[in-house]
Amino acid sequence: MALKITRPQGTEDITPKNINKWYTVEEIARETAMCFGFKEIRIPTFENTELFLRSVGETTDVVQKEMYTVKAKETEFTLRPEGTAGTIRAMLQNGMLNDALPQRAFYILSCFRHERPQAGRLREFHQFGLEMAGSGSPAADAEVISLAKTLLDRLGLRNIALNINSIGCPKCRCEYHKALRSYFAKREDELCDTCKTRLEKNPMRILDCKSPVCGEIAENAPVILDYLCNECSEHFETLKKYLNNLSIEFTVNPKIVRGLDYYTKTVFEFVTTDIGAQGTVCGGGRYDGLIEQLGGAATPALGFAMGIERILLTMESQGCQFMEEKTCDLYIAPMDASAADMAMNIAQKLRSDGYHAEYDVMNRGIKAQMKYANKIGAKFVLVVGGNELESGCAKLKLMETGEQFDIHLDDRFAKEFEDLAIRYMFNDIFEEFEEEK
Ligand code: ATP
Ligand code: MG
């Protein structure tokens, strides 16, 4: 036998059995984003490599180690490692920034990064993210953070801490870089090779290095908050005031710098300790220089991205509720080939009325069909065969209680089924309603 081909390392299959969990997150994410005035954007899975070099930054882990780049017909493309660069490119290319500002767009997409696979860290993973372009006000920061928080709450998540920081603007960063360089220069020999090159080019990146030695050295490094210019400092203070006003709890963590180069001023993360080492479920911040860097007019902007796999891991570990799965309303079991036409017609009619109907396509005997109907959780089962065809009447079985109802197989079927379905399938809702009254 030929060797079975398996999926690439660090990728996952989302099977029909699990899709409901994804629908739950995606649906609540879409609804929440829309409540805040965001509309969905869909962008290509791959972009010109240059886009990520110019936005994510050449000294970041993502660009240096994690990009999937392919050369096709002499042109180099990269599978998107994140959604911000492509979204901003699309905003520029489609003239969206010439429309009324702010522009608000959200996305649900897969990202690709060549990382060491482990729990919560994949090579293909999914993000729900959004970008808001045009506002430099801290009110926009509060808005975006509040959206993320609202979504986490609506998903039923608990124990997720919000950490915020400001990493200033190019103006304040100049002095800060000097301080960092002189701090790290003292222990340059101990830094990892990547960080040695970062020391000159982009010393802040050392603060985000995952190597334990660099991490230990970075422990006592100067913090950016001590170097903020007046404008950045005021922006940060106002944001904190707004968050307090919205009763959103946060901790100022001067260690957060974020892994991508385009950030300015506000950066934030939502972190949980419930899913092991990869506990950052959401990361974001302001990137006031990015749009200009990508060839647009200087336009302040900000956004965040949530890792959907990490959100799901957290929801599972906290026992959060997922949407109820829609199961089969009616399973039709023909007793023999002569009843197959009838089964098809009934199913066709009910489906056009919006019901979920199935019938046997395996040529199984009645016993096996009943077993199958049970397995798929069918609410009603209708057995049709010789006698029923002759009399024009059949028994409809309510699976939950075993009760049987007489039902006509002619034009009356749909109406009679509807009456029974309303009475029995929505029984719980009726009971609740009655109780409330
Ligand atoms: P980390 O510090 O965990 O590597 P990051 O800073 O690289 O995260 P971002 O680029 O900000 O992450 O991406 C936003 C979110 O996407 C993260 O907070 C996380 O939830 C998720 N994410 C990032 N990389 C992965 C991955 N390899 N597998 C699964 N989810 C990921
Ligand atoms: Mg990373």
Side-chain angles (χ1 to χ4, degrees):
M1 220 168 60
L3 205 63
K4 273 197 192 132
I5 298 173
T6 55
R7 60 176 178 259
Q9 226 198 335
T11 64
E12 275 176 357
D13 301 309
I14 304 165
T15 60
K17 207 171 168 182
N18 290 323
I19 198 68
N20 212 43
K21 296 183 173 175
W22 285 78
Y23 286 165
T24 305
V25 174
E26 288 165 6
E27 203 163 288
I28 297 177
R30 281 201 172 90
E31 273 170 16
T32 308
M34 287 186 202
C35 283
F36 282 76
F38 285 76
K39 285 192 183 177
E40 185 163 353
I41 189 166
R42 299 192 183 180
I43 54 169
T45 308
F46 58 92
E47 299 274 358
N48 288 303
T49 302
E50 179 69 18
L51 176 69
F52 301 115
L53 301 184
R54 267 172 48 189
S55 55
V56 173
E58 308 212 23
T59 53
T60 59
D61 274 354
V62 169
V63 165
Q64 288 192 331
K65 307 178 196 159
E66 300 170 2
M67 290 206 306
Y68 281 100
T69 297
V70 287
K71 202 165 165 195
K73 314 252 186 238
E74 299 310 307
T75 313
E76 223 183 61
F77 299 104
T78 294
L79 298 181
R80 58 180 175 224
E82 49 97 63
T84 301
T87 301
I88 295 301
R89 191 230 8 95
M91 283 189 176
L92 287 170
Q93 197 160 357
N94 293 283
M96 287 165 66
L97 298 174
N98 305 326
D99 277 345
L101 297 179
Q103 282 289 310
R104 299 177 167 103
F106 76 88
Y107 51 77
I108 296 174
L109 45 70
S110 51
C111 299
F112 306 85
R113 296 185 192 178
H114 193 269
E115 307 200 66
R116 196 168 65 78
Q118 52 196 289
R121 195 176 288 292
L122 295 156
R123 290 181 173 172
E124 181 184 14
F125 62 98
H126 297 77
Q127 288 185 340
F128 162 73
L130 51 86
E131 318 298 339
M132 177 164 161
S135 169
S137 158
D141 306 38
E143 181 86 344
V144 162
I145 292 174
S146 158
L147 198 170
K149 170 73 177 140
T150 305
L151 173 53
L152 297 172
D153 287 346
R154 286 188 182 180
L155 292 170
L157 290 161
R158 300 172 307 273
N159 304 330
I160 299 196
L162 167 62
N163 293 320
I164 64 170
N165 190 23
S166 173
I167 57 170
C169 62
K171 230 185 332 173
C172 15
R173 226 172 282 165
C174 187
E175 279 306 302
Y176 181 55
H177 277 179
K178 273 189 216 153
L180 276 183
R181 271 193 203 105
S182 80
Y183 173 84
F184 284 118
K186 288 185 204 126
R187 297 180 69 177
E188 185 175 355
D189 297 347
E190 297 166 68
L191 294 174
C192 75
D193 288 346
T194 323
C195 284
K196 280 190 184 113
T197 67
R198 286 168 169 161
L199 189 56
E200 226 359 83
K201 282 193 190 152
N202 193 348
M204 252 169 79
R205 285 271 68 83
I206 303 175
L207 301 174
D208 201 40
C209 182
K210 301 275 192 300
S211 123
V213 179
C214 298
E216 187 248 289
I217 299 174
E219 262 315 286
N220 298 312
V223 296
I224 179 86
L225 284 180
D226 296 334
Y227 292 81
L228 293 185
C229 68
N230 280 341
E231 192 203 324
C232 289
S233 174
E234 228 168 82
H235 185 102
F236 196 48
E237 290 310 311
T238 313
L239 169 62
K240 289 193 274 186
K241 188 178 81 103
Y242 287 151
L243 292 177
N244 284 326
N245 177 52
L246 290 166
S247 308
I248 297 174
E249 280 176 38
F250 61 87
T251 307
V252 174
N253 179 347
K255 293 257 150 62
I256 300 178
V257 292
R258 311 283 311 123
L260 315 172
D261 265 357
Y262 47 62
Y263 287 110
T264 52
K265 290 187 178 158
T266 312
V267 289
F268 61 91
E269 291 180 350
F270 285 88
V271 190
T272 174
T273 50
D274 289 353
I275 53 169
Q278 314 307 326
T280 308
V281 294
C282 176
R286 186 168 267 291
Y287 47 85
D288 288 346
L290 180 62
I291 295 179
E292 193 175 17
Q293 219 169 296
L294 292 178
T299 312
L302 74 164
F304 71 70
M306 258 180 210
I308 301 183
E309 283 84 356
R310 290 188 197 174
I311 291 281
L312 286 171
L313 284 174
T314 317
M315 287 178 75
E316 279 163 0
S317 91
Q318 296 186 359
C320 295
Q321 288 261 311
F322 292 99
M323 264 176 357
E324 228 177 274
E325 245 171 300
K326 210 171 168 327
T327 52
C328 181
D329 297 318
L330 174 65
Y331 180 82
I332 309 154
M335 275 195 287
D336 46 48
S338 69
D341 285 1
M342 166 79 69
M344 272 179 209
N345 290 341
I346 293 176
Q348 190 180 42
K349 176 70 186 92
L350 286 192
R351 286 170 187 160
S352 73
D353 290 344
Y355 287 102
H356 171 164
E358 293 184 38
Y359 58 84
D360 177 60
V361 289
M362 301 287 293
N363 288 325
R364 285 188 178 121
I366 282 297
K367 224 172 130 191
Q369 289 196 55
M370 292 307 282
K371 208 168 145 190
Y372 175 76
N374 225 339
K375 217 170 189 174
I376 63 170
K379 294 179 194 108
F380 288 97
V381 171
L382 179 78
V383 178
V384 281
N387 287 343
E388 286 80 7
L389 295 183
E390 257 167 49
S391 67
C393 223
K395 290 263 184 244
L396 185 71
K397 182 172 174 187
L398 178 62
M399 296 298 273
E400 198 187 331
T401 59
E403 270 172 282
Q404 306 231 24
F405 308 92
D406 289 318
I407 192 162
H408 289 99
L409 293 173
D410 54 19
D411 288 351
R412 285 168 280 185
F413 185 86
K415 172 78 178 71
E416 289 177 10
F417 180 77
E418 173 112 350
D419 289 346
L420 285 165
I422 288 177
R423 232 163 81 209
Y424 292 95
M425 277 158 48
F426 306 116
N427 220 358
D428 299 351
I429 302 174
F430 278 139
E431 273 170 16
E432 251 171 56
F433 186 68
E434 287 295 316
E435 273 167 29
E436 269 170 32
K437 274 208 298 193

